[in-house]
Amino acid sequence: LASPAGTTAPASASSSSPRRARPPTRRVAPSSSRGMISTTPSGGPRTWDGSTPPVITSDEPGSWAHDTVSRRLREDILARVFRDNADVLASGTIAEANLRALDAELAAAATSVITRVPRDGGPDVDTWTQLCEPHLGKTWLEAPWLFAEFYFYRRILAAIGYFDPASPAFGHDPFARDKRAGLDAGMGAATQLARRANAFAEKRQSGSAATAEEVRLFLMVALWGNRMDLSIWPEDGGNEGGGTKGDRAANAFADALSSGEKYLLSDDSQAAARLLLGAEGPADKRQTAGGTKKNKNVSIVVDNAGFELTCDLALADALIAGGCASRVTLRVKAHPTFVSDATVKDAMDTIDAMASSADADVAAMGARWRQHLSSGAWVLVPDFAWCQPQPFWSLPEAVVTELRSSRLVIVKGDANYRRLLGDARWDLATPFEDVTCCFPAPLLALRTLKAELGCGIPREKASKAAEKHPVDWMTSGTFGCAQLNAAPAGQHAVASLATSLPPDASFAGGGRQGKGKGEGGGEGSSLLILTERERLDLAKTLVALANASRELARTLRSAPARSSVTLGSTAGGTRNATGDDQRKLDVVADDIFATHLASCGGTRWYSSEEREAPVELDASGTMAVCCDPLDGSRNIDCNIPVGSIFGVYRASALGKGDVNDVLRPGKEMVAAGYCMYGSACTMVLTVGGNVRGFTLDPSLGEFVLTHPKIKCPPTGATYSVNEGNSRYWGGGMRQYVDHVKYHKEKPHALRYIGSMVADVHRTLLYGGTFSYPGDSKSPNGKLRLLYECFPMAYIMERAGGAASDGTQRILDVCCTGIHQRHPIHMGSEEDVEEIERFYREAAAGEDAR
C-alpha cells in the first residue's frame, strides 16, 4: 500500500518561466509501464461525420476554464500550497524557488508556454513526455483545459521534489492539511451515515435481501458527496453565515437524502441498482446484449478524499453487505493531485478515523471497513493512469484489462467525467451511451456538474437548470447526473466505416453495371445520400451487428459442450419461415441479432430468414436490416465453418414506414456484410466503398481491421457448386462446368464446402465462381434473395467481382417477397461473364429448336 517513489533526483525547474513573444516554431505501487499511453487504435467516440467535438481550452474570457487557469490555479491552489507547507518550503530552498518559478508562469498564463515535465525521478515521466509533446509551445491558456490542470499539479510535485529521495518533500502530500480538514469536517455527517450503513448491514445479516431502492440510496450518497471537492472551496470552507465546516458536510449528506430528483439532470440510478442486484431489467438486457460476462467484481474509480471518500466507502460497504459484489476494487490516485483527490494514504486515514471514532456507530462502521480490507473484499489499487489527462479511451492496456473484468465500473467525480468525454464540448443531448461507447466495461458515472460540458442531458432539463442558475448551473456542483451505460458498444473500427465517409458520400448499389469496380454506381442508378441522423444510425447498426456476431461466436464455441441445449433440431421438428428444418442455434442466433439491433437505437426494421414477417424494433430508427442469422447451421454438428449474412437499407427511403422498407432491390443497400465463424472469427463489410475485412480479437472483444481493401481477382481457377445436383441442371450450367473441367488449358478445381459464407469467402479472396443455380428440381434455386443473394452480391461487386442469375445482375432483381428464392452465380468478373455467355448460348439453342 506504499506510495510510489522514484530513485533518481529531479531536474530542477527553470528559475525563469518561458514566454512566447511570437507563434512557436494493487496493493502494490504502480510501475512506470502501467502509466504508458495506450497504443490501441480505438480512437474514441465520434459524431456522425467521424469528428470529435472541440476540446475545451482556457482562452475564452468569462469561462470557468479561463478563470481556473488564469486565476484559480495560482491565487487559490498554489497560494494554499505555500501557506500549508511552510515547513518544507523554507525561503531559499530549491523547492521554494521552483514553486516561485511556477507561480511566475501562471501569472503570465497568456504568454507562458508549456514545457516538458522535468525528469524528477517519477515513474510516470516518460508518459508525461508523450502527453506534453502535442502542446509544447502553446500557452497555458491555449492548451486543453484538462491537460493544463493535470499538468499544473504534476509540476507542483516536480517543483517540491516529491519523487526525489534527497528532497525534504520526498513523498510529502502538499495538500495533506486540506484533506485532513475535510475529513475532520465530515465526521459529524459520518455519524448520520454510519447509522444507516450499520442498519443496512445488520438487515442483510439477518437474511433480508437488499432492495433496489436501498442500493440506490447509497449511490445517491456517493453522488452528492462530490460536493465536498476541496479544490473549489473558498479558504473559509464556504461558511457563510458563521457556520462550520461540519455544517457543510452535514448539509451535503442531507442533500443526498432529500434533494431527490430535484437537481438530477439525468438519473439511471434505479437501473444501476437493479444491475448490481442482478435483478432482471433493462440494464441487464443491455449488458447481455453487449456480450459482457456477468461477475461479482465492482470497481470504483475514486475521486475526492474527505467526506466524499467516506461516502464512497459507505457505498463500497453496501455493495459487499448487500451481496452486490464479492470484491470492490477502489482505484485511487498514485500521487496527490487536484488538491483533494484520494490516494491510498487518504483511504487508509479515512478508514482509521472511522474505526477509532468515539462514536460507537462510526467505530462499528470503520471496524467493518477494516475487515473488508483484511479479507480481500476491498482492494486498494493506485495507478498513475488516474493522475493524467488522456481520455478514458486511451487508458493503458493493463488498466483496460483490469476494468474489463468488472461487472460494473463506477466512475466518480467531475475530472473523471471530463476524461470520459475527452473534455470535449459534446452536444448536451448526445446520448451518454454514444459518448462512452469505447469504455471497456459496464459503466456508471456519478457526477455533480463542475465543468462546462456534459452529455445525456435532455434539452428541457438543461433549459430549466439554466433558468434556475443562469450564471453557474454547469460549474457550481448544484446539479448532478447518474448515468449508466450497461453495455458499451465499442467496435470503433467497424463504426468508422460509416463515420469516416465524406459528408457527400453516395450509395449507388455496387460497381459492376458501370464498371465501377466497387467505387461507384452504375449508369442510371439512383444515388443515395444519407442524412446526418442516418449516418449515425448506420454506425450504430453496424456496431450492433458486430457485437451480435461476437456474442454468437462465443455461443458457437461453447455449443458442443451444451449439445442438449444448442445442437440439433428444435422441439417437434419445426421449420422456419422458408420451410427449412429449424435448428436450435438458428433460433438462438436470431434472438441474439434481434436483441442487439433493438438496443442500438438506430435500427427500425429487422427481417430474418427465421421469421414470418419483419418486426419493428425501434420506431425512431432509420435503418432496416435483412439477415440470415446463422447460415449453414446444419453443418455445426460436424464442426464445419458457418456464418451470418446481413444487408442494411434506409428504412425511410420509400417514406412508407412499413414492410416495403425491406422489399427493395439489392442495389439500394447502404451496407452489407457477413461474419464467418471458423478458426478465426472474420467479418467482411462494405459501406458504399471498398470491402474491408476484420478479425475478432478475443482478448479485446473488438473486431480489428486486418484486410483494408479486399479485391476479388478478375479470374480464378476454382468453381464451387453442389455437383450432386448436376442431373437437374439446365444446359447453360451444365455446359459451363463441362467447359472449366474439360476444355480449359488448365482445368478448374472443384471446391465446395456446402456453407455459403465459407464458399463465398474463399471465392472473394482467391477468385473463381460460386454458384447455386436454378434447376428442374428447384427452378428458383435454394438461396434467399433478401438474406443471402443481395448482401453477398453487393459485397462481391464492391470488391470488383460480379453476381448474376445467368441472365441479369442480381442487384437489379426486384424483390416481391421477404423469403423469395433466386438462382445466383458470383465471383471473378470474367468467370461470371463466361457463365452468362453459356446461359445465352443455351437459351439461343433452345429458341432455335
Side-chain angles (χ1 to χ4, degrees):
L1 292 175
S3 297
T7 57
T8 59
S12 297
S14 171
S15 60
S16 59
S17 62
R19 299 286 191 272
R20 193 183 79 182
R22 54 186 180 278
T25 49
R26 231 159 262 258
R27 290 192 163 276
V28 294
S31 67
S32 58
S33 62
R34 291 178 61 87
M36 297 303 287
I37 299 173
S38 170
T39 56
T40 302
S42 62
R46 293 289 186 268
T47 58
W48 67 272
D49 62 354
S51 66
T52 297
V55 173
I56 298 176
T57 57
S58 307
D59 53 0
E60 181 182 339
S63 67
W64 179 245
H66 183 272
D67 182 61
T68 296
V69 177
S70 66
R71 185 190 63 81
R72 286 183 55 246
L73 293 185
R74 179 172 178 256
E75 296 181 11
D76 293 350
I77 310 303
L78 199 55
R80 271 194 250 182
V81 173
F82 279 109
R83 181 198 66 197
D84 295 343
N85 298 274
D87 53 335
V88 294
L89 295 176
S91 178
T93 62
I94 294 176
E96 193 263 350
N98 289 342
L99 279 181
R100 294 295 176 196
L102 179 59
D103 182 76
E105 283 186 50
L106 290 167
T111 56
S112 298
V113 298
I114 301 298
T115 59
R116 293 183 178 88
V117 170
R119 290 199 165 274
D120 61 352
D124 59 342
V125 169
D126 287 340
T127 299
W128 269 104
T129 298
Q130 296 180 55
L131 293 169
C132 291
E133 197 65 32
H135 311 301
L136 296 177
K138 294 179 182 177
T139 69
W140 281 75
L141 296 184
E142 291 171 338
W145 177 31
L146 190 63
F147 169 85
E149 288 193 280
F150 276 103
Y151 174 74
F152 164 74
Y153 288 104
R154 185 59 180 83
R155 286 283 305 276
I156 288 178
L157 298 188
I160 68 174
Y162 179 85
F163 293 107
D164 181 6
S167 169
F170 174 61
H172 174 74
D173 186 345
F175 313 116
R177 180 176 173 180
D178 271 322
K179 291 178 179 178
R180 187 70 216 187
L183 177 59
D184 292 342
M187 292 305 291
T191 302
Q192 303 176 51
L193 178 59
R195 291 170 187 159
R196 289 165 174 80
N198 294 341
F200 179 80
E202 291 167 5
K203 187 177 178 182
R204 305 290 79 76
Q205 290 174 353
S206 68
S208 177
T211 67
E213 191 55 40
E214 288 174 318
V215 174
R216 179 180 182 270
L217 173 64
F218 284 97
L219 292 174
M220 290 295 96
V221 167
L223 166 63
W224 294 115
N226 184 258
R227 292 190 179 187
M228 307 310 294
D229 182 346
L230 303 180
S231 70
I232 65 170
W233 279 20
E235 291 198 30
D236 66 357
N239 306 316
E240 297 86 348
T244 66
K245 289 185 178 181
D247 291 337
R248 175 161 181 166
N251 290 339
F253 181 68
D255 281 342
L257 303 180
S258 64
S259 62
E261 298 179 2
K262 183 179 178 182
Y263 295 110
L264 280 174
L265 302 180
S266 179
D267 184 12
D268 296 329
S269 57
Q270 193 71 35
R274 289 199 304 270
L275 187 153
L276 286 164
L277 287 169
E280 186 65 28
D284 294 292
K285 292 180 180 178
R286 289 297 302 272
Q287 184 179 21
T288 302
T292 303
K293 186 182 294 185
K294 291 187 176 183
N295 58 60
K296 299 286 280 185
N297 298 326
V298 174
S299 286
I300 301 178
V301 181
V302 176
D303 190 30
N304 293 311
F307 184 67
E308 181 185 344
L309 179 56
T310 303
C311 293
D312 291 346
L313 295 177
L315 170 61
D317 179 31
L319 294 178
I320 297 297
C324 300
S326 56
R327 172 176 291 180
V328 175
T329 301
L330 297 159
R331 303 190 180 276
V332 295
K333 304 295 191 295
H335 62 66
T337 190
F338 273 84
V339 179
S340 59
D341 281 19
T343 63
V344 168
K345 183 179 185 303
D346 298 323
M348 296 304 299
D349 286 348
T350 301
I351 294 170
D352 290 344
M354 299 300 136
S356 60
S357 171
D359 183 274
D361 288 318
V362 175
M365 181 175 69
R368 191 168 58 252
W369 292 2
R370 280 181 171 173
Q371 176 60 29
H372 292 329
L373 270 181
S374 62
S375 69
W378 284 4
V379 182
L380 285 166
V381 177
D383 205 291
F384 287 98
W386 312 121
C387 309
Q388 297 161 356
Q390 64 265 43
F392 275 176
W393 57 78
S394 294
L395 288 170
E397 288 297 335
V399 176
V400 170
T401 300
E402 291 178 9
L403 293 179
R404 191 176 286 120
S405 67
S406 300
R407 181 182 188 184
L408 182 67
V409 178
I410 301 173
V411 172
K412 285 294 310 297
D414 202 68
N416 286 327
Y417 189 89
R418 289 165 61 188
R419 294 180 68 187
L420 280 172
L421 275 62
D423 213 31
R425 296 182 185 275
W426 295 88
D427 186 301
L428 291 179
T430 304
F432 180 72
E433 294 90 343
D434 290 359
V435 179
T436 59
C437 63
C438 296
F439 199 77
L443 165 70
L444 174 65
L446 299 177
R447 173 223 187 186
T448 53
L449 277 66
K450 297 173 187 172
E452 294 161 322
L453 83 174
C455 67
I457 300 175
R459 299 189 193 283
E460 180 182 355
K461 289 194 174 185
S463 297
K464 289 182 178 179
E467 289 175 6
K468 293 179 181 178
H469 298 264
V471 176
D472 61 355
W473 74 275
M474 296 192 75
T475 59
S476 64
T478 301
F479 296 94
C481 292
Q483 295 174 309
L484 177 70
N485 186 349
Q491 308 299 352
H492 173 76
V494 170
S496 67
L497 289 187
T499 58
S500 64
L501 290 170
D504 59 349
S506 61
F507 302 81
R512 187 187 178 214
Q513 181 177 337
K515 304 297 183 183
K517 300 294 185 183
E519 300 301 329
E523 183 178 344
S525 58
S526 58
L527 296 179
L528 307 176
I529 298 178
L530 301 183
T531 65
E532 294 179 12
R533 168 63 192 277
E534 287 172 334
R535 289 161 64 95
L536 186 58
D537 282 358
L538 175 59
K540 292 180 179 181
T541 297
L542 293 178
V543 167
L545 290 167
N547 283 328
S549 299
R550 178 186 64 186
E551 183 176 343
L552 182 54
R554 185 172 63 246
T555 301
L556 293 173
R557 284 198 304 272
S558 64
R562 300 183 297 121
S563 58
S564 62
V565 177
T566 60
L567 298 183
S569 300
T570 54
T574 58
R575 296 182 177 273
N576 64 16
T578 58
D580 291 336
D581 180 37
Q582 193 169 49
R583 318 292 284 186
K584 294 175 183 178
L585 274 172
D586 287 322
V587 179
V588 172
D590 180 64
D591 182 64
I592 288 173
F593 274 89
T595 299
H596 281 271
L597 291 169
S599 66
C600 78
T603 308
R604 179 170 185 179
W605 291 100
Y606 174 65
S607 185
S608 163
E609 182 179 315
E610 305 303 323
R611 298 177 182 245
E612 294 286 347
V615 293
E616 188 174 38
L617 301 178
D618 186 336
S620 66
T622 62
M623 294 292 119
V625 173
C626 299
C627 181
D628 182 354
L630 190 57
D631 178 74
S633 58
R634 69 180 64 187
N635 294 318
I636 291 176
D637 295 9
C638 54
N639 205 27
I640 288 177
V642 293
S644 303
I645 309 171
F646 40 83
V648 183
Y649 296 86
R650 297 169 68 192
S652 57
L654 299 181
K656 296 182 178 180
D658 59 20
V659 69
N660 290 288
D661 282 333
V662 299
L663 289 179
R664 312 232 292 283
K667 63 186 178 185
E668 294 186 14
M669 280 186 289
V670 295
Y674 63 82
C675 190
M676 185 173 69
Y677 314 105
S679 56
C681 182
T682 302
M683 175 172 282
V684 174
L685 285 171
T686 179
V687 180
N690 293 322
V691 176
R692 293 174 171 85
F694 303 82
T695 302
L696 180 64
D697 183 336
S699 67
L700 299 175
E702 294 276 315
F703 282 95
V704 296
L705 181 64
T706 51
H707 297 74
K709 188 175 183 179
I710 297 176
K711 299 295 290 185
C712 182
T715 187
T718 64
Y719 68 102
S720 182
V721 67
N722 183 357
E723 220 167 344
N725 288 329
S726 60
R727 62 187 294 184
Y728 306 111
W729 290 345
M733 187 64 199
R734 199 161 41 240
Q735 291 167 23
Y736 169 73
V737 172
D738 182 75
H739 173 72
V740 298
K741 287 172 65 176
Y742 302 112
H743 301 289
K744 287 277 190 181
E745 182 177 348
K746 184 177 181 180
H748 286 194
L750 173 65
R751 296 287 184 267
Y752 186 70
I753 298 173
S755 176
M756 184 186 186
V757 170
D759 282 317
V760 170
H761 186 68
R762 181 195 59 249
T763 303
L764 180 67
L765 296 181
Y766 302 143
T769 60
F770 167 83
S771 298
Y772 209 110
D775 55 35
S776 61
K777 185 176 63 173
S778 303
N780 294 320
K782 286 287 188 72
L783 301 180
R784 291 79 176 165
L785 189 61
L786 202 57
Y787 310 119
E788 295 161 319
C789 297
F790 278 168
M792 289 303 205
Y794 190 87
I795 294 167
M796 192 64 72
E797 286 201 6
R798 289 294 179 179
S804 169
D805 61 8
T807 60
Q808 67 173 329
R809 179 187 182 221
I810 286 293
L811 295 181
D812 288 334
V813 175
C814 292
C815 187
T816 59
I818 64 170
H819 296 296
Q820 178 181 343
R821 300 175 190 263
H822 202 81
I824 190 168
H825 309 274
M826 68 175 74
S828 297
E829 185 173 34
E830 294 178 15
D831 295 342
V832 172
E833 288 176 349
E834 195 168 40
I835 291 177
E836 290 178 325
R837 176 171 64 83
F838 279 102
Y839 268 72
R840 288 194 301 271
E841 291 174 356
E846 291 178 5
D847 290 343
R849 288 196 299 271

